[in-house]
Amino acid sequence: MLDLDLFSIARSSVTAPAGCGKTQLIADSLKAYSGLKPVLVLTHTNAGKGALEARLDSAAVPKSSFRVFTIDSWAIRVISKFPARSGSNDQMLRLENSNRDYPAVREAALRLLSSGDIDDILAASYSRLVVDEYQDCTLPQHAIIGAIANVLPTCVLGDPLQAIFGFREPTVHWDKHVRATFPELGVLNTPWRWKRVGADGLGNWLLAIRAPLLAGQPIDLRNAPPEVVYIPLPNDAAGAHLKRMEAARIKAPNKDGTVLIIGDSVSPSSQRQFASLTPGASTVEAVDLRDLTAFARTFDPAHEDSIKHLVNFAGELMTNLGGQELQKRLASLKTGRARNSPNQIEAAFLTYAAMPSFETAANALEELEDCTGVRVYRHEVLHVLKTALRAASVGDNNFYEATVLARERNRHLGRRTNRVAVGSTLLLKGLEADVAVVLNPSVMDARHLYVALSRGARKLVICSPTPVLTPAVA
């Protein structure tokens, strides 16, 4: 028995708090669907698309019942088939300038859909439309969905309290835009994420604090259930850092349990520091891998200082490489002035220095992974880096081009995390773990705070100078 019948009316919206079974409801609805034409399912990110497809696969939903796309990729698909009618062109579709080209794609898609020229094709291709994570829709995307809804019965699902992404284009307001266009079918109110592990009290508390957070009111952790662990922070920065480090090392209460450590969104370097200092932890990376592409622009094995460049960047991905001391030792070893033989780490870099190339750089990185005491804490960056180095070594693309291609392929694979993962609310939204550790709640507005608090299914650890959390002004 479905909680709500998504296909019962022509236009509808569902408000879906975190952990209340939204994705499962979509999967169950599609599994029960028996129509002849597939349901079009749209979402926002490739990671979200991957998560949806994985859930549909695990629920054994017939692939003939659905077609899943991101909103933008579906728009590109449609306008590329009707370039004259949509006013699109090859330059726009190459997406070389995302700030310019994505808005142009959306404008072209809306122009085509609003014309009515492909209404018959839409109706012949799909039976209806379901849109996930609707709180993240920009107004141009909302207009696109509204135009499709003129042809296909449409249900949209989302949560206004999880609208944390900032875009150049304004995003929808849940009352003014979403409910006004798609009348509310219902609100999901069973905290399945917590119920299934016996943490009903935590799940019910998270539902209860939604209204105060939406109103910008403070949350008093002294009224929280026992699954919420409050760690008071001292006033001095050094003492507060030590307390946060202790919190980051808290283990899950269950065997093979997972932990999400949620750091400061505006400080990726502090997130990396916590990952490097927390046993078994790795970072969750932003899809643009900005520091890797910056490295790729300047790294050239033919340059005299390329080994220094490689050493420094490797030190941003792995622990215990030695930093400045390693640089001094390598210089000493290369000139024959060193008294002691090279260790494993030094030998890996010396092999590269003897014959510098993209291939030997990749070989050196792989040797470093096997060195005693070295731990990779930025797995995703290292994987893309090695892939790009191998590609550049065969000469199909220069190193920067190979890095961009490897990065783009990687972003379509879906997010993979270690048992202990470190990131920000923006990077960890959509993920869940047995334990969530919130390091900096005082800098979060109500939406970011709710996203952070709702990541942990069994335990929630909160570091704060005070037990009263006051949402920051957005």
Side-chain angles (χ1 to χ4, degrees), residues 143-410:
I144 288 171
I145 301 305
I148 301 173
N150 289 330
V151 181
L152 303 177
T154 298
C155 180
V156 305
L157 303 93
D159 179 11
L161 202 46
Q162 295 186 71
I164 63 172
F165 294 112
F167 303 105
R168 290 176 180 269
E169 298 169 335
T171 51
V172 291
H173 185 281
W174 200 256
D175 289 321
K176 293 178 183 177
H177 302 121
V178 182
R179 286 184 175 132
T181 308
F182 301 102
E184 186 164 89
L185 177 64
V187 179
L188 301 181
N189 55 18
T190 303
W192 292 110
R193 176 176 298 166
W194 300 274
K195 196 177 183 68
R196 70 171 184 249
V197 297
D200 300 52
L202 177 56
N204 289 327
W205 178 73
L206 288 166
L207 286 177
I209 65 172
R210 285 177 58 83
L213 284 174
L214 281 166
Q217 297 173 359
I219 303 300
D220 193 337
L221 298 179
R222 291 170 295 192
N223 300 324
E227 293 92 345
V228 178
V229 178
Y230 165 56
I231 296 184
L233 297 179
N235 291 328
D236 64 292
H241 179 73
L242 287 176
K243 282 293 185 182
R244 289 188 176 104
M245 284 304 311
E246 290 175 18
R249 295 179 180 223
I250 289 177
K251 299 188 183 308
N254 54 314
K255 184 182 178 183
D256 299 326
T258 54
V259 179
L260 293 180
I261 301 168
I262 305 169
D264 189 344
S265 292
V266 300
S267 179
S269 61
S270 70
Q271 296 167 35
R272 293 165 194 163
Q273 182 187 38
F274 276 99
S276 69
L277 296 173
T278 304
S282 64
T283 56
V284 176
E285 303 284 341
V287 293
D288 60 2
L289 303 183
R290 190 173 301 175
D291 61 337
L292 173 58
T293 53
F295 172 77
R297 285 185 185 278
T298 55
F299 178 68
D300 184 349
H303 288 175
E304 186 177 351
D305 65 347
S306 71
I307 187 169
K308 179 179 178 181
H309 204 175
L310 184 62
V311 168
N312 287 341
F313 195 68
E316 295 289 321
L317 314 179
M318 312 175 191
T319 62
N320 299 326
L321 292 192
Q324 293 300 316
E325 288 302 314
L326 175 59
Q327 298 280 10
K328 292 176 184 177
R329 274 283 292 165
L330 290 173
S332 179
L333 288 163
K334 286 171 70 177
T335 58
R337 291 183 285 107
R339 293 182 180 180
N340 298 324
S341 300
N343 61 25
Q344 281 183 289
I345 295 171
E346 294 158 356
F349 282 115
L350 288 173
T351 300
Y352 166 78
M355 191 168 57
S357 69
F358 292 118
E359 182 177 8
T360 57
N363 293 341
L365 292 171
E366 289 183 349
E367 288 179 39
L368 290 173
E369 291 180 80
D370 296 328
C371 288
T372 303
V374 171
R375 179 176 66 84
V376 177
Y377 64 92
R378 298 184 68 191
H379 294 273
E380 190 172 1
V381 178
L382 181 60
H383 169 72
V384 174
L385 172 57
K386 290 191 298 182
T387 300
L389 288 168
R390 297 289 185 201
S393 71
V394 298
D396 291 340
N397 298 99
N398 64 43
F399 179 44
Y400 176 74
E401 291 168 343
T403 300
V404 171
L405 287 171
R407 180 194 67 187
E408 293 308 299
R409 283 194 295 269
N410 181 73

Side-chain angles (χ1 to χ4, degrees), residues 37-162:
K37 293 177 288 187
V39 175
L40 175 62
V41 183
L42 300 179
T43 188
H44 289 269
T45 65
N46 287 303
K49 174 179 178 289
L52 263 174
E53 289 175 327
R55 184 67 65 89
L56 295 173
D57 185 55
S58 67
V61 180
K63 292 192 180 340
S64 59
S65 297
F66 64 90
R67 300 288 185 272
V68 183
F69 302 93
T70 67
I71 296 173
D72 287 336
S73 68
W74 186 82
I76 291 167
R77 179 186 176 93
V78 170
I79 65 175
S80 64
K81 292 181 177 180
F82 303 94
R85 295 185 185 186
S86 65
S88 62
N89 55 64
D90 290 341
Q91 180 182 5
M92 175 198 305
L93 297 175
R94 282 197 293 269
L95 303 174
E96 292 173 347
N97 184 331
S98 59
N99 292 334
R100 175 196 66 204
D101 295 334
Y102 275 111
V105 162
R106 293 164 194 148
E107 185 180 338
L110 182 59
R111 183 184 305 117
L112 176 64
L113 291 164
S114 299
S115 70
D117 290 344
I118 64 167
D119 286 0
D120 291 347
I121 296 172
L122 282 178
S125 301
Y126 310 108
S127 63
R128 55 194 316 122
L129 170 66
V130 171
V131 190
D132 194 15
E133 302 290 359
Y134 206 78
Q135 75 278 347
D136 296 326
C137 268
T138 64
L139 290 182
Q141 289 174 328
H142 176 59
I144 288 171
I145 301 305
I148 301 173
N150 289 330
V151 181
L152 303 177
T154 298
C155 180
V156 305
L157 303 93
D159 179 11
L161 202 46
Q162 295 186 71

Side-chain angles (χ1 to χ4, degrees), residues 462-474:
I462 303 171
C463 303
S464 172
T466 169
V468 179
L469 305 182
T470 302
V473 177

